[in-house]
């Protein structure tokens, strides 16, 4: 075997090892995150309670919205359940940033960085753990929503679209939260995480459809990519006669928004992590 | 109250007021968020004012003004009470007890800061939203009554939150009541009229004290300067404030006994 072949074989083995290490480390971080959820329910309960509170309070308080001409559903809970789920997913994602800040402050993260673990696993692991948590939240929200009178109008696809939207929002939130946490490394980042997610969510069709909005919000919501994600999430919960009902044209915009924003936010997280290493 | 205890209460009131104004990061969010929600609501729900059951208003912002004031005052009062808890945590409260300071002055001095901030933020909300269509039908007399109402709501909520601070001695516990206030706010008529709600939501909003605080101020904003509107705006928070002060005073006495 000549030297070039040796180096090439070595590189292949290293790459394979690296892949195994990455997945193993990510798996351990998922396990840690899920154990923390079980051991510290006080940290997980707000993530579970928030979407329920949003759904219940908004659909009750703003029940009269459904009487507006052209409102896409006559069930307010059908309209506000996806909002509750999206808020829960977003804060579940951003919550990763809070945990990371704690880990950075108490030194746990330095120990992780000193260990021979792949850097990517430090992002992949927590994001996958968030997906598991968001799926649990979504199941809970669907059950409570059903009890409150939410009825899907596109069968199983209604649930699938809402879940995909929630997972997408949590990924975006996670990338953004981790990136800010790596940059700031203290609680200043937490305030920016919450504020930015809150503003982005509410300056979209979170509360009312575009047709109902007036003034500046209409202009902002029309170009806000989160509007597309809400369209995807609600496509199976609005009336069949509504223009927002389940169809490819109402779904693909949300999928593209999720893909693009997820890639950008995760890249932001990776670049911020690299900055710490430097 | 003796002359000395009044002087001490005023000094402590000055301290708590300056503390709030010197740390804008603590109080600015309680002013920015309600204003943001107002403008957001105006654009989101502007078309709902024609719905059956909605009171006659010139704009949604006019309807929303009262909700904005109460929202801001509620959040500001939590900050004031959390500062009292911080005094307990960092030992300043014990140092006050060791000095010949009036005991009730410790509580009332702290509440004075919240009351002044409540009046100030009410004025800011009114004058910030006025140019955008949040008309006050009751005119300048109504605005004065609204500012008094805002100050009384601040006193009522501040006293209730101070009870939590005195009972627990933990600023975290006081901040922990924030979600409860948030829930109360959303299950009230702060953002939408009770007449448009139905079933259990209408019942909860009817029993919710926040609804009555909001509707008092809203009456001045929508109905003009009438005796009933002024009475609702001032007497409801005053009654709640008296009950809250009794509770807070009893918590203060318990803490003094335990010390």
């Amino acid at each position: 075997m000549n030297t070039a072949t040796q180096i090439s074989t070595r590189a292949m083995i290293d790459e394979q090892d690296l892949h195994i290490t990455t997945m193993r480390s990510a798996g351990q971080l998922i396990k840690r995150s899920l154990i923390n959820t079980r051991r510290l329910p006080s940290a997980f309960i707000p993530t579970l309670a928030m979407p329920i509170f949003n759904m219940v309070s908004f659909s009750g308080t703003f029940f009269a919205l459904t009487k507006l001409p052209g409102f896409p559903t006559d069930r307010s809970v059908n309209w506000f359940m996806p909002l509750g789920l999206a808020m829960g997913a977003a804060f579940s994602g951003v919550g990763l940033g809070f945990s990371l800040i704690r880990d950075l402050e108490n030194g746990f993260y330095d120990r992780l960085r000193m260990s021979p673990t792949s850097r990517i696993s430090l992002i992949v692991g927590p994001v996958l753990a968030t997906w598991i948590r968001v799926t649990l939240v979504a199941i809970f929200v669907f059950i409570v929503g059903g009890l409150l009178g939410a009825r899907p109008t596109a069968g199983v696809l209604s649930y699938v679209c809402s879940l995909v939207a929630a997972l997408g929002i949590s990924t975006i939130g996670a990338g953004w939260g981790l990136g800010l946490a790596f940059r700031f490394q203290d609680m200043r980042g937490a305030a920016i995480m919450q504020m930015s997610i809150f503003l982005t969510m509410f300056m979209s069709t979170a509360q009312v459809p575009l047709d109902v909005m007036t003034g500046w919000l209409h202009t902002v919501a029309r170009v806000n990519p989160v509007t597309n994600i809400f369209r995807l999430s609600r496509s199976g919960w609005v009336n069949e006669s509504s223009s927002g009902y389940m169809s490819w044209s109402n779904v693909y915009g949300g999928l593209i928004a999720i893909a693009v924003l997820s890639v950008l936010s995760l890249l932001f997280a990776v670049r911020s992590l690299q900055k710490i290493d430097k | 109250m003796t002359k000395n205890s009044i002087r001490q209460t005023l000094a402590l009131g000055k301290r708590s007021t300056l503390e709030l104004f010197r740390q804008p990061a603590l109080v600015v969010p309680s002013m920015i968020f309600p204003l943001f929600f107002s403008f957001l609501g105006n654009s989101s729900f502007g078309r709902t004012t024609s719905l059956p059951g909605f009171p006659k208003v010139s704009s949604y912002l006019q309807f929303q003004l009262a909700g904005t004031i109460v929202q801001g005052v509620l959040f500001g009062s939590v900050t004031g009470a959390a500062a009292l808890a911080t005094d307990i945590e960092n030992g300043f409260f014990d140092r006050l007890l060791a000095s010949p300071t009036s005991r009730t002055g410790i509580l009332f001095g702290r509440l004075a800061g919240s009351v002044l901030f409540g009046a100030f933020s009410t004025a800011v909300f009114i004058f910030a939203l006025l140019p955008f269509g949040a008309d006050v039908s009751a005119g300048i007399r109504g605005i004065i009554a609204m500012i008094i109402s805002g100050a009384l709501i601040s006193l009522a909520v501040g006293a209730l939150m101070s009870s939590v601070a005195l009972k627990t001695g933990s600023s975290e516990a006081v901040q922990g009541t924030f979600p409860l206030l948030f829930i109360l706010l959303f299950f009230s008529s702060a953002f939408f009229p009770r007449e448009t709600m139905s079933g259990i939501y209408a019942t909860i909003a009817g029993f919710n004290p926040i609804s009555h605080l909001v509707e008092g101020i809203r009456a001045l904003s929508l109905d003009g300067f009438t005796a009933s509107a002024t009475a609702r705006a001032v007497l409801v928070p005053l009654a709640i404030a008296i009950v809250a002060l009794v509770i807070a005073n009893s918590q203060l006495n318990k803490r003094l006994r335990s010390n």
Side-chain angles (χ1 to χ4, degrees):
Chain A
M1 219 185 282
N2 61 28
T3 316
T5 317
Q6 273 179 340
I7 291 171
S8 165
T9 312
R10 179 79 181 271
M12 275 173 66
I13 292 167
D14 281 354
E15 204 171 294
Q16 206 176 3
D17 279 351
L18 184 73
H19 183 67
I20 293 167
T21 312
T22 302
M23 292 321 289
R24 200 179 289 155
S25 309
Q28 289 304 314
L29 286 168
I30 294 171
K31 196 174 162 191
R32 174 179 181 257
S33 177
L34 295 178
I35 288 173
N36 274 345
T37 304
R38 191 166 55 82
R39 284 188 186 155
L40 274 173
S42 57
F44 180 57
I45 285 169
T47 314
L48 206 59
M50 186 194 215
I52 301 295
F53 166 69
N54 262 318
M55 175 172 66
V56 174
S57 63
F58 276 59
S59 47
T61 305
F62 302 122
F63 160 77
L65 280 174
T66 57
K67 292 176 184 162
L68 283 171
F71 201 83
T73 174
D74 46 1
R75 288 173 184 267
S76 59
V77 67
N78 269 30
W79 183 257
F80 288 110
M81 188 177 73
L83 167 64
L85 184 54
M87 292 292 283
F91 281 93
S92 192
V94 164
L96 270 187
F98 297 161
S99 318
L100 175 62
I101 290 171
R102 270 200 304 275
D103 286 345
L104 283 163
E105 284 178 342
N106 66 24
F108 176 75
Y109 216 78
D110 287 335
R111 276 181 279 157
L112 273 183
R113 282 171 56 226
M114 281 164 67
S115 64
T117 183
S118 140
R119 291 293 178 262
I120 295 297
S121 68
L122 301 181
I123 290 172
V124 173
V127 170
L128 291 179
T130 303
W131 281 11
I132 296 171
R133 277 206 300 267
V134 168
T135 306
L136 293 175
V137 170
I139 292 168
F140 189 60
V141 168
F142 290 145
I143 291 171
V144 177
L147 293 173
L148 289 172
R151 296 290 175 266
T153 53
V156 180
L157 270 181
S158 309
Y159 295 100
V160 173
C161 284
S162 292
L163 180 61
V164 168
L167 292 175
I169 289 173
S170 70
T171 311
I172 299 162
W176 181 239
L178 289 173
L180 286 173
F182 285 132
R183 298 256 165 179
F184 285 94
Q185 298 182 39
D186 59 29
M187 279 299 167
R188 282 175 306 158
I192 299 173
M193 283 172 213
Q194 279 180 315
M195 188 82 93
S196 53
I197 287 284
F198 198 78
L199 292 179
T200 315
M201 297 282 279
F202 273 95
M203 287 196 286
S204 70
T205 50
Q207 297 190 101
V208 290
L210 275 175
D211 303 343
V212 174
M213 286 175 195
T214 54
W216 66 274
L217 184 61
H218 184 272
T219 315
V220 175
R222 211 161 50 83
V223 294
N224 185 347
V226 178
T227 293
N228 287 330
I229 303 178
F230 272 119
R231 194 178 293 130
L232 162 72
S233 183
R234 285 180 173 136
S235 58
W237 300 95
V238 295
N239 292 341
E240 287 180 46
S241 56
S242 155
S243 60
Y245 183 65
M246 182 74 67
S247 67
W248 179 241
S249 62
N250 282 324
V251 165
Y252 83 90
L255 295 175
I256 291 174
I258 287 172
V260 172
L261 292 178
S262 297
V263 168
L264 288 177
S265 66
L266 290 172
L267 272 178
F268 173 61
V270 173
R271 294 287 296 272
S272 305
L273 174 60
Q274 285 168 346
K275 219 167 183 178
I276 287 193
D277 285 337
K278 279 178 193 165
Chain B
M1 260 185 155
T2 63
K3 200 175 164 187
N4 265 348
S5 63
I6 291 173
R7 228 179 48 216
Q8 289 154 4
T9 307
L10 286 175
L12 287 167
K14 188 180 169 191
R15 173 182 174 264
S16 67
T17 311
L18 287 176
E19 199 176 54
L20 283 175
F21 284 93
R22 279 182 184 160
Q23 297 185 70
L26 286 179
V27 290
V28 165
S30 70
M31 302 184 83
I32 297 290
F33 265 97
L35 283 174
F36 169 71
F37 269 117
S38 289
F39 289 115
L40 188 78
N42 194 39
S43 280
S44 297
F45 308 125
R47 291 199 176 145
T48 59
T49 54
S50 56
L51 284 170
F54 213 98
K56 205 169 174 298
V57 288
S58 60
S59 70
Y60 180 81
L61 216 49
Q62 189 190 19
F63 171 83
Q64 179 56 31
L65 176 62
T68 305
I69 291 171
V70 172
Q71 192 185 353
V73 167
L74 285 183
F75 297 163
S77 304
V78 173
T79 310
L84 173 61
T86 308
D87 281 351
I88 296 171
E89 282 172 342
N90 65 20
F92 181 75
F93 186 84
D94 287 335
R95 274 182 281 156
L96 280 178
L97 292 187
S99 67
T101 315
S102 148
R103 291 341 189 200
T104 47
I106 298 172
L107 175 64
F108 283 89
R110 177 55 71 185
L111 288 173
S114 293
V115 169
L116 280 176
F117 182 72
F120 171 74
S121 58
T122 304
V124 169
F125 291 134
I126 294 170
F127 290 110
L129 297 178
L130 206 56
F132 299 96
D135 304 328
V136 179
S137 304
I140 190 74
R141 287 180 299 170
I143 291 176
I144 293 167
M146 285 163 100
I147 291 172
I148 293 169
S149 182
L152 286 171
I153 294 172
S154 209
L155 177 65
V157 181
L160 279 177
M161 293 297 115
S162 297
S163 309
V164 179
L166 289 163
K167 187 171 176 63
T168 61
S170 152
S171 58
E172 207 172 315
V174 176
Q175 296 286 3
T177 59
F178 183 82
L180 182 69
L181 286 179
F182 207 68
I183 290 170
L184 277 175
L185 191 71
F186 267 91
F187 283 102
S188 74
S189 55
F191 302 107
F192 242 55
R194 269 195 277 163
E195 292 74 14
T196 61
M197 296 177 196
S198 67
I200 186 83
Y201 295 104
T203 313
I204 294 172
F207 281 111
N208 188 341
I210 305 277
S211 293
H212 298 283
L213 293 174
V214 170
E215 286 165 14
I217 299 179
R218 188 168 286 151
L220 284 168
S221 179
L222 305 185
D223 304 340
F225 193 74
T226 62
S228 74
T230 314
R232 280 180 81 185
V234 175
L235 295 182
V236 173
L238 182 65
I240 299 176
I242 290 168
V243 175
L245 281 171
V246 170
I247 297 171
N249 202 44
S250 114
Q251 284 305 331
L252 175 68
N253 288 332
K254 273 186 193 166
R255 179 160 280 276
L256 291 177
R257 277 199 298 273
S258 70
N259 272 30

